[in-house]
Amino acid sequence: MRQLEERILADGKVLPGGVLKVGSFLNHCIDTRLLSDMAAEIATLYADAGVSKIITIEASGIAIAAAAGMAMGVPVIFAKKHRTTNVDGSVYMTVVHSFTHNEDYHVVVARDCMGIGDKVLIIDDFLANGSALRGLIDLVEQSGAEVVGMAACVEKCFQAGGDEFRAKGIRVESLASIESMSDDGKIVFRS
Amino acid sequence: MRQLEERILADGKVLPGGVLKVGSFLNHCIDTRLLSDMAAEIATLYADAGVSKIITIEASGIAIAAAAGMAMGVPVIFAKKHRTTNVDGSVYMTVVHSFTHNEDYHVVVARDCMGIGDKVLIIDDFLANGSALRGLIDLVEQSGAEVVGMAACVEKCFQAGGDEFRAKGIRVESLASIESMSDDGKIVFRS
């Protein structure tokens, strides 16, 4: 999506260690015009996929997931981080590893949110190593629902997540796909 | 907003201790049709207020804030929870008390997100004791911007937050205002 790529080049900041800061327009202060356009693009990409629900994980995926849900006319579930393993039988739970904080955390979804017959689109702002999205796949599969695909605003193709999911046969759509970033700030998109 | 009140009566669950569960349509699994309608209502209420930015706090306020931002055509900032007091000079920071977890946490906003001349609308899903919203007021005021008002999907009028803000002269709009809830599940709205 050219509009997003151009915005990343204009306002994104590359930090050492493969970090891309897009807080000024994507995931801290959100440009809602861009948000609408990204949601419309996801709705177009998955128009014929029969999506019945969207799932994301708190917190930074919520805005794009909610916008896409409005554009597609389907409910949006956001999986919640949970402090303990102490949950009752009303939820599905999985474990996600955070590379940012180097720790595991639990993520839950209420069982009555989705189930057999649902076709679920997984959405997040970033797709990098894929740890959070792997957790969401687990939650969808626990419920008996089907994963129809994933959509991310920004994919870091130099981390393994996206291509690993594609190798498993999962449809992955990324609105901006970054092939490489150098420490001096040069960004190359996958063509 | 009658549509939201009716939905709360139909699908909300009252738990002991003044807890209202609306996860099945408002803040865990989100009915995006309702979300659009709530956002349009907020946009109408604040149409003449000159709002230049919306601010909320992660995580459950993000969906309604993003939807309202799209409806109003303004950027949306979400204040982030922060693990330590160890921040650099690039952010404003405040402290919010969580009654749910009975602890204080830090909340930050990047300084370049808002400033003098901005007219900021504060949005959250719930308004109860007002602790989180008080923190957002502090962040807006630190930046030199002006608080033009607040909007919440659900106000628990039997907790002090909303009326405390009104007494200070802050405009507060709640789409559903709950006057009382009894442990047997009876909900009375403020007329």
Side-chain angles (χ1 to χ4, degrees):
Chain A
M1 187 181 173
R2 179 172 298 272
Q3 180 191 357
L4 177 59
E5 290 180 355
E6 287 173 353
R7 190 63 178 274
I8 290 169
L9 292 176
D11 294 331
K13 286 189 185 129
V14 178
L15 301 187
V19 174
L20 176 66
K21 288 282 193 186
V22 289
S24 66
F25 60 96
L26 193 68
N27 57 9
H28 177 42
C29 185
I30 299 169
D31 178 334
T32 52
R33 166 68 72 90
L34 176 63
L35 184 68
S36 285
D37 291 345
M38 291 191 299
E41 179 77 10
I42 292 171
T44 301
L45 287 165
Y46 281 98
D48 299 322
V51 173
S52 68
K53 278 175 190 155
I54 288 170
I55 190 168
T56 189
I57 191 167
E58 64 179 15
S60 57
I62 296 175
I64 183 59
M70 288 191 288
M72 300 177 77
V74 298
V76 173
I77 302 159
F78 62 94
K80 298 196 168 197
K81 293 172 183 169
H82 199 271
R83 295 197 169 200
T84 68
T85 57
N86 183 22
V87 295
D88 62 22
S90 67
V91 299
Y92 301 110
M93 184 167 73
T94 192
V95 176
V96 170
H97 183 74
S98 165
F99 286 86
T100 309
H101 299 114
N102 193 28
E103 64 184 21
D104 292 340
Y105 58 96
H106 297 88
V107 178
V108 299
V109 165
R111 281 178 184 257
D112 53 12
C113 284
M114 60 181 170
I116 295 167
D118 271 320
K119 294 166 80 80
V120 181
L121 173 61
I122 296 172
I123 292 186
D124 209 352
D125 58 339
F126 269 88
L127 168 53
N129 56 67
S131 176
L133 298 184
R134 213 171 288 120
L136 291 176
I137 293 173
D138 184 29
L139 291 171
V140 174
E141 291 181 342
Q142 283 183 48
S143 80
E146 177 193 344
V147 175
V148 297
M150 295 179 177
C153 300
V154 182
E155 178 176 348
K156 293 175 170 175
C157 305
F158 52 91
Q159 293 187 251
D163 288 335
E164 178 192 309
F165 294 131
R166 290 182 186 98
K168 286 182 177 164
I170 297 173
R171 180 178 175 187
V172 180
E173 301 283 359
S174 302
L175 304 185
S177 301
I178 298 178
E179 193 67 60
S180 67
M181 300 192 308
S182 60
D183 282 355
D184 64 355
K186 187 166 158 51
I187 295 172
V188 177
F189 293 102
R190 183 178 281 191
S191 56
Chain B
M1 188 182 172
R2 180 173 297 274
Q3 180 190 358
L4 178 59
E5 291 180 355
E6 287 173 353
R7 190 62 178 275
I8 290 169
L9 293 176
D11 293 331
K13 285 188 185 131
V14 178
L15 301 186
V19 175
L20 175 66
K21 287 282 195 186
V22 290
S24 66
F25 59 97
L26 193 68
N27 57 10
H28 176 41
C29 184
I30 300 169
D31 178 334
T32 52
R33 165 69 72 89
L34 176 64
L35 184 68
S36 285
D37 292 344
M38 292 190 299
E41 179 77 9
I42 292 170
T44 301
L45 287 165
Y46 280 98
D48 299 323
V51 173
S52 68
K53 276 173 192 157
I54 289 170
I55 191 168
T56 189
I57 191 166
E58 63 178 15
S60 57
I62 296 174
I64 182 61
M70 288 190 287
M72 301 177 77
V74 299
V76 172
I77 302 159
F78 62 94
K80 298 197 169 198
K81 293 172 184 170
H82 199 270
R83 294 196 170 201
T84 68
T85 57
N86 183 23
V87 295
D88 62 23
S90 67
V91 299
Y92 302 109
M93 184 167 72
T94 192
V95 176
V96 170
H97 183 74
S98 165
F99 287 87
T100 309
H101 298 113
N102 192 28
E103 65 184 21
D104 291 340
Y105 59 95
H106 297 88
V107 179
V108 299
V109 166
R111 282 177 184 257
D112 54 11
C113 283
M114 61 181 169
I116 295 167
D118 272 320
K119 296 167 80 80
V120 182
L121 173 61
I122 296 172
I123 292 186
D124 209 352
D125 59 339
F126 268 89
L127 168 54
N129 57 67
S131 176
L133 298 184
R134 213 171 289 119
L136 291 176
I137 292 173
D138 183 29
L139 292 170
V140 174
E141 290 180 343
Q142 283 183 48
S143 80
E146 177 193 345
V147 174
V148 298
M150 295 180 177
C153 300
V154 181
E155 179 176 347
K156 293 175 170 176
C157 305
F158 53 90
Q159 293 186 253
D163 288 335
E164 178 193 307
F165 294 131
R166 290 183 186 96
K168 285 182 179 163
I170 297 172
R171 179 177 176 189
V172 181
E173 301 282 358
S174 301
L175 304 185
S177 301
I178 298 177
E179 193 67 60
S180 66
M181 299 193 308
S182 59
D183 282 355
D184 64 354
K186 188 167 158 49
I187 296 170
V188 177
F189 293 102
R190 184 178 279 189
S191 54

